[in-house]
Amino acid sequence: MNLIQENVDITRFTTFGISVRARYFAEYKSERELVYISRQPEFLENPVLQIGGGSNLLFIHDFEGLVLHSAVKGITRYDKDADTAFVIAGAGENWADFVEWTISQGLAGLENLAGIPGEVGASPVQNVGAYGVEAGDVIHSVECFDLSTRKTCRFLAAECRFGYRDSFFKHEGRGRYIVLRVSFKLRPDGVPRSLEYGPLANLRESLGHHPTLRQVADEVLRVRNTKLPDPALIGSAGSFFKNPVVHNGKLEEIKALTGHELAGHPVGDHYTKLSAAWLIDHAGMKGAKCGGAKVYDKQPLVIVNDSNATAGDVATLATRVSDAVRRKFLIDLRPEVNYIDTHVQVTILGTGTSKGIPEIGCACRVCTSPFQKDKRTRCSAIVRTMGQTFLIDPSPDFREQMLSQDMHDIDAVLITHAHYDHVGGIDDLRPFCATADLPLYVNDEADKMLRKHYEYCFREHPYPGVPKFDMHVVGDSPFIVNGVKIVPIRVNHGPLPILGFRIGDFAYITDAKSVEPAELNKLEGVRTLVVNALRDRDHFSHFTLAEALEFIEEVNPQEAYLTHFNHEIGRHHELEARLPKNVHPAFDGMQLTV
């Protein structure tokens, strides 16, 4: 059985029309073939990405890993009674064709979702929606292949945690579960019921009678065709941005600061869903261009491949659109499109030890240095990969670090340990908890300390506005965060066990004094290592410069960067001159690509 191909053009599996290749590619028709693939070295030793029709993907570069595509087919109908019919569809079925099949069968429930590009397997992952209906409204269960256990499992709709363009499969389940089949609970009476949204609200009146399934689908297709480009003719990923959900208190703040009163649809008791298209249009970005990418004239929520666009053109234009909306309306737009990039982009936010450099009241030559690279805030870093943004440690200087780097998005926080110089900025995470609890990944010791020292964040009835967290206690085993594999590295900070982290071929370790051999094995093959080197003199809980260099020699990365300095280390350029060719002192604001 030879299912895995090498160096494959996968452009046909995307809708942007931007050329992209995968180092490895495999298409499977059954669970048996998935089991086989999951045991091959191409799977075990590389990043793995499951794709469907590619209607929500933007590949920033060629994919340096294994791309999987489902060819699991088949549609089966089971009538329970006069009110309910279950339909099970293979993940590899074309979504638009599947919706057409349900209409031909007289089954109501999916007609509002006609014409959406992609495949059935993506419907529970993305919780695709349109014109007042979401897939999660009619999904009964989802059959998956668990890549960890190599067994088939099933999730009922309630377990999928469907939200606005969201589900369990985009978070904890991402990278672990592959959708095989989806079971839908539909109505055999053939009567459409969701007719309150947008252009469907007047359909009954214009027809003079209650519309049929076919008439609803035709109206949806007509409206889609007037607003959205046909991917076969103009490359796009459909709606590029999510409609932002904003706390009503934030809307009052925006009105007070800008004079703009923003209207939308209520979501629950305290939130409002705004129109991203309206915000983009009124920020003056309709028709805006960057290289071959363009904000679509007919629907500003869409970015199109107007003329041989590159992924960089699209990503840059999306950033310009977001910046324009933020400047005018103080609203952050988040992409609905997934950025796919196996590269790891690192920004070193801070490189100083607990006192920082300059130390308060110190007049030494390092603390009084005029050079910017000798100004060191407390240790922290941002890591971006696969469209996700991870913060490692919210230091006491976190607020100023983020402002200086003009950063405004975090998907999850990785905590090395709970000493104040690494978590003192935890209260400044408030902006990232505005619409949902921010995930924090910690070891058991840090979990206990954070709950004790920041107990106001963990009360059953917290004070309004305090940061709220979704706590995840991790052990020694790798874990998945929104599809990204994180390998915890247990190191010893003197007597205290703390964590370092490996993400892809990048590893970040700070405050270490020793590392056990078993943990050292987790660093095999790391290309770029960041590690602490406090000073030349011995310290009971931190690597000295000599110890850090010895550790680097053991790990043997291509490049290494030193961090967590105090002022005894000397000036930046002097330290650089003392180091081996592939070892460098990190500095605040340094950016790396791995």
Side-chain angles (χ1 to χ4, degrees):
M1 188 184 297
N2 186 19
L3 297 174
I4 300 176
Q5 305 171 57
E6 193 168 352
N7 189 26
V8 176
D9 187 324
I10 58 170
T11 308
R12 69 189 185 280
F13 294 105
T14 71
T15 58
F16 253 120
I18 296 173
S19 179
V20 61
R21 305 187 74 84
R23 184 179 180 187
Y24 301 106
F25 175 80
E27 191 170 64
Y28 56 90
K29 298 178 182 178
S30 66
E31 296 92 320
R32 178 172 172 270
E33 291 184 346
L34 260 180
V35 170
Y36 170 82
I37 292 168
S38 70
R39 290 174 173 166
Q40 304 311 304
E42 293 89 345
F43 177 95
L44 297 170
E45 298 170 6
N46 293 281
V48 177
L49 176 68
Q50 167 73 32
I51 65 172
S55 60
N56 68 324
L57 304 179
L58 177 65
F59 284 89
I60 304 300
H61 303 283
D62 288 343
F63 190 78
E64 294 298 325
L66 171 63
V67 170
L68 299 177
H69 181 257
S70 173
V72 178
K73 303 285 188 178
I75 302 174
T76 307
R77 172 178 176 171
Y78 299 94
D79 284 77
K80 178 184 177 184
D81 51 42
D83 298 321
T84 305
F86 293 102
V87 176
I88 301 173
E93 292 286 347
N94 178 276
W95 174 261
D97 292 345
F98 171 62
V99 173
E100 287 295 320
W101 182 90
T102 65
I103 293 170
S104 71
Q105 293 280 309
L107 298 174
L110 294 175
E111 57 278 0
N112 294 42
L113 306 182
I116 295 176
E119 296 177 354
V120 167
S123 62
V125 179
Q126 303 298 330
N127 191 19
V128 296
Y131 305 106
V133 173
E134 294 179 337
D137 299 334
V138 290
I139 287 176
H140 172 259
S141 60
V142 182
E143 183 183 349
C144 296
F145 182 79
D146 185 339
L147 291 171
S148 296
T149 63
R150 296 192 177 95
K151 294 181 180 179
T152 301
C153 58
R154 188 176 71 139
F155 295 90
L156 295 175
E159 298 173 302
C160 297
R161 300 211 306 270
F162 292 122
Y164 172 60
R165 302 296 183 270
D166 202 14
S167 73
F168 161 81
F169 303 106
K170 294 183 76 172
H171 301 287
E172 294 96 324
R174 187 174 176 182
R176 175 172 177 176
Y177 298 103
I178 292 179
V179 176
L180 295 171
R181 297 172 187 85
V182 185
S183 174
F184 297 88
K185 185 179 180 180
L186 304 178
R187 300 185 306 276
D189 61 9
V191 179
R193 287 177 171 77
S194 299
L195 303 174
E196 301 82 21
Y197 191 94
L200 300 181
N202 300 319
L203 184 58
R204 179 172 181 169
E205 183 179 343
S206 64
L207 291 172
H209 59 81
H210 195 86
T212 64
L213 297 178
R214 180 73 270 157
Q215 287 169 329
V216 170
D218 286 346
E219 179 64 9
V220 167
L221 291 170
R222 184 191 68 78
V223 175
R224 287 184 66 87
N225 290 336
T226 62
K227 291 185 175 182
L228 301 175
D230 182 348
L233 303 175
I234 304 175
S236 82
S239 299
F240 197 95
F241 297 100
K242 297 179 183 179
N243 290 320
V245 177
V246 182
H247 193 279
N248 294 336
K250 176 71 172 178
L251 293 181
E252 294 173 4
E253 184 180 348
I254 290 170
K255 182 179 179 181
L257 291 171
T258 69
H260 297 296
E261 187 166 2
L262 304 178
H265 299 283
V267 181
D269 295 331
H270 305 292
Y271 292 89
T272 297
K273 184 193 293 183
L274 305 176
S275 167
W278 187 94
L279 294 169
I280 295 167
D281 189 6
H282 287 77
M285 294 304 289
K286 181 189 284 187
K289 293 184 177 182
C290 177
K294 180 181 179 181
V295 178
Y296 195 46
D297 294 315
K298 296 180 181 180
Q299 169 54 276
L301 199 55
V302 177
I303 294 177
V304 297
N305 179 358
D306 190 53
S307 177
N308 298 316
T310 66
D313 292 340
V314 175
T316 300
L317 181 57
T319 298
R320 291 178 184 174
V321 170
S322 299
D323 288 345
V325 169
R326 186 181 305 107
R327 285 193 301 269
K328 185 160 186 176
F329 299 112
L330 311 183
I331 296 288
D332 282 317
L333 291 183
R334 298 300 300 271
E336 187 170 335
V337 169
N338 293 306
Y339 287 41
I340 307 300
D341 188 2
T342 49
H343 291 82
V344 180
Q345 310 286 338
V346 182
T347 300
I348 304 296
L349 297 177
T351 55
T353 187
S354 55
K355 297 180 184 178
I357 300 175
E359 290 190 10
I360 295 174
C362 183
C364 78
R365 58 189 299 274
V366 176
C367 289
T368 57
S369 169
F371 301 114
Q372 187 59 40
K373 289 182 179 179
D374 291 327
K375 315 294 183 187
R376 301 185 182 278
T377 57
R378 271 70 69 91
C379 277
S380 186
I382 289 283
V383 180
R384 299 182 190 272
T385 187
M386 296 294 286
Q388 300 296 306
T389 300
F390 304 117
L391 168 68
I392 303 180
D393 288 348
S395 84
D397 303 307
F398 169 70
R399 179 178 179 276
E400 294 302 322
Q401 292 168 343
M402 292 291 281
L403 289 172
S404 69
Q405 296 297 319
D406 191 27
M407 293 183 178
H408 35 75
D409 63 310
I410 294 175
D411 293 294
V413 180
L414 311 176
I415 302 290
T416 60
H417 61 299
H419 285 174
Y420 180 79
D421 57 320
H422 291 265
V423 299
I426 201 166
D427 195 78
D428 291 320
L429 292 170
R430 291 174 187 238
F432 310 103
C433 308
T435 57
D437 295 356
L438 181 64
L440 263 63
Y441 293 81
V442 299
N443 66 9
D444 184 64
E445 180 72 19
D447 180 61
K448 293 174 183 175
M449 292 179 70
L450 289 174
R451 291 180 184 276
K452 176 181 178 181
H453 296 305
Y454 298 95
E455 60 83 24
Y456 64 93
C457 299
F458 301 97
R459 295 174 184 172
E460 184 177 354
H461 302 290
Y463 184 83
V466 304
K468 296 180 66 179
F469 306 113
D470 178 17
M471 301 296 286
H472 299 263
V473 177
V474 301
D476 295 338
S477 300
F479 55 95
I480 304 294
V481 182
N482 298 343
V484 178
K485 181 180 178 181
I486 313 287
V487 180
I489 312 296
R490 183 165 44 83
V491 302
N492 300 314
H493 181 28
L496 179 68
I498 68 171
L499 295 178
F501 299 100
R502 175 175 181 169
I503 303 174
D505 290 333
F506 168 75
Y508 182 94
I509 293 174
T510 186
D511 286 38
K513 182 63 176 178
S514 64
V515 181
E516 301 297 329
E519 298 300 301
L520 195 63
N521 292 337
K522 296 179 181 178
L523 296 170
E524 184 177 353
V526 159
R527 291 170 54 197
T528 300
L529 170 68
V530 173
V531 65
N532 59 292
L534 182 70
R535 63 192 187 195
D536 288 298
R537 283 193 304 124
D538 187 43
H539 191 278
F540 78 98
S541 64
H542 294 91
F543 279 148
T544 63
L545 175 58
E547 289 169 337
L549 293 176
E550 183 179 337
F551 179 72
I552 291 168
E553 190 172 347
E554 252 188 304
V555 174
N556 193 31
Q558 293 180 12
E559 298 286 337
Y561 296 86
L562 303 177
T563 190
H564 205 271
F565 303 117
N566 80 354
H567 56 175
E568 290 185 42
I569 203 69
R571 290 184 174 179
H572 180 94
H573 68 279
E574 296 168 343
L575 177 58
E576 179 84 68
R578 299 169 56 194
L579 298 176
K581 185 178 180 180
N582 70 326
V583 182
H584 314 276
F587 55 87
D588 290 19
M590 171 182 274
Q591 296 186 341
L592 309 170
T593 299
V594 184

